């Protein structure tokens, strides 16, 4: 084989000859790579049931898109990676895993706490938000009046607790089997399930939830977020909690 043909073969193998022969095709492919396929695995990202712009101007569409498609997806991706060597993570109910973190091997405990906690928190978060979310009624309103001092005090106290949460975390309303409510915060991606409780609802006070619109003004985000709450879904969760059937 001549040195020229050998060089041609080497260049062809590296794609350089093809690029010279059909530059438009090659560059077009380079400019528009195929979208990355969702990594295979037992955990999947729950789709939003409303458009990302549903909460404008209170939560901007870009924040919703990044928050759901990238931040929540990152937990799913990490969980699928963990499940390759720990398949029981995907076959055990999420509350059972989160409620028994100490039963896990030390090598995965922190990763499960963060990623399954993040998956649970965000799944709840997307569920309890929705356009035209109405107002609290019936049993939920009665519980808010009884346990949290009425709507105005509840919202003020919830916002204050979310504002006080140092760094990243969540502000929740927990609910027990008797339907009693309490405002509680957790750091990072911890969830009340981890200490035997259940979240009726909660707001994400990580900066990724609000920074594009509100920058450092977490208090303004906390106040505006109430416009996104879906009270009929919270009523469903309240009934499920009293029946001992609330998942995450
Ligand atoms: Fe988040």
């Amino acid at each position: 084989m001549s040195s020229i043909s050998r060089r041609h073969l080497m260049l062809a193998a590296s794609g350089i000859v093809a690029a010279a022969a059909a530059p438009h095709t090659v560059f077009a492919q380079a400019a528009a790579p195929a979208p990355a396929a969702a990594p295979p695995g037992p955990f999947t990202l729950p789709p939003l049931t409303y458009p990302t712009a549903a909460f404008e101007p209170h939560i901007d569409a870009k924040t919703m898109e990044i928050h759901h498609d990238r931040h929540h997806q990152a937990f799913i991706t990490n969980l699928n990676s963990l499940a390759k060597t720990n398949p029981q993570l995907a076959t055990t109910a999420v509350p059972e895993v989160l409620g028994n973190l100490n039963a896990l091997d030390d090598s995965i405990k922190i990763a499960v706490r963060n990623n399954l906690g993040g998956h649970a928190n965000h799944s709840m978060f997307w569920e309890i938000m929705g356009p035209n979310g109405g107002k609290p009624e019936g049993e939920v309103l009665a519980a808010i009046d009884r346990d949290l001092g009425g709507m105005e005090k509840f919202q003020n106290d919830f916002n204050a607790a979310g504002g006080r949460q140092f760094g990243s975390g969540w502000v929740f309303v927990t609910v027990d089997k008797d339907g009693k409510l309490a405002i509680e915060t957790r750091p990072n991606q911890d969830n009340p399930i981890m200490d035997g409780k259940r979240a009726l609802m909660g707001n994400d006070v990580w900066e990724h939830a609000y920074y594009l619109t509100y920058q450092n003004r977490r208090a303004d985000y906390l106040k505006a977020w109430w416009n996104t709450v879906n009270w009929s879904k919270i009523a469903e969760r309240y009934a499920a909690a009293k029946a001992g059937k609330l998942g995450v």
Side-chain angles (χ1 to χ4, degrees):
M1 184 184 293
S2 73
S3 62
I4 292 174
S5 61
R6 188 158 47 240
R7 181 167 177 270
H8 183 273
L9 281 175
M10 289 167 67
L11 292 174
S14 69
I16 292 172
V17 168
H24 297 295
T25 304
V26 171
F27 290 144
Q29 287 172 348
F43 289 93
T44 55
L45 181 67
L48 293 177
T49 57
Y50 36 76
T52 53
F55 305 129
E56 296 265 12
H58 310 295
I59 300 178
D60 65 274
K62 193 70 180 171
T63 292
M64 288 294 295
E65 179 193 325
I66 294 171
H67 198 172
H68 178 266
D69 296 0
R70 300 194 207 173
H71 287 279
H72 193 166
Q73 178 61 53
F75 298 125
I76 301 296
T77 302
N78 292 339
L79 287 168
N80 284 330
S81 180
L82 284 164
K84 282 180 188 165
T85 46
N86 301 274
Q88 80 282 5
L89 292 174
T91 54
T92 310
V94 172
E96 198 173 319
V97 177
L98 292 182
N100 296 284
L101 287 174
N102 283 333
L104 296 174
D105 190 88
D106 283 345
S107 63
I108 61 168
K109 195 178 294 180
I110 293 173
V112 173
R113 179 176 187 165
N114 290 338
N115 290 289
L116 197 60
H119 179 34
N121 285 341
H122 287 84
S123 298
M124 175 278 298
F125 188 59
W126 311 130
E127 181 182 296
I128 58 114
M129 297 199 296
N132 309 310
K135 293 183 175 180
E137 301 174 343
E139 279 199 83
V140 171
L141 181 59
I144 289 170
D145 288 342
R146 181 190 64 221
D147 301 330
L148 303 176
M151 254 327 260
E152 188 176 351
K153 183 175 184 338
F154 161 42
Q155 289 182 312
N156 288 339
D157 290 349
F158 185 94
N159 292 353
R164 280 194 304 271
Q165 172 57 40
F166 183 76
S168 299
W170 289 76
V171 53
F172 296 102
V173 174
T174 57
V175 58
D176 69 14
K177 280 190 179 179
D178 296 326
K180 185 170 170 49
L181 306 180
I183 297 170
E184 302 189 34
T185 57
R186 294 290 186 281
N188 305 314
Q189 293 298 346
D190 284 0
N191 181 288
I193 293 170
M194 294 174 188
D195 45 279
K197 300 180 179 178
R198 281 290 190 281
L200 173 66
M201 58 185 286
N203 192 1
D204 186 344
V205 297
W206 283 62
E207 284 186 343
H208 66 229
Y210 61 86
Y211 205 83
L212 292 183
T213 294
Y214 297 95
Q215 292 85 47
N216 61 324
R217 293 175 287 113
R218 186 191 286 184
D220 291 347
Y221 159 71
L222 280 157
K223 202 170 171 185
W225 176 78
W226 291 100
N227 292 290
T228 74
V229 173
N230 181 350
W231 287 103
S232 63
K233 187 55 73 175
I234 289 173
E236 284 176 27
R237 290 177 61 86
Y238 187 73
K242 287 182 73 175
K245 294 179 178 172
L246 182 59
V248 297

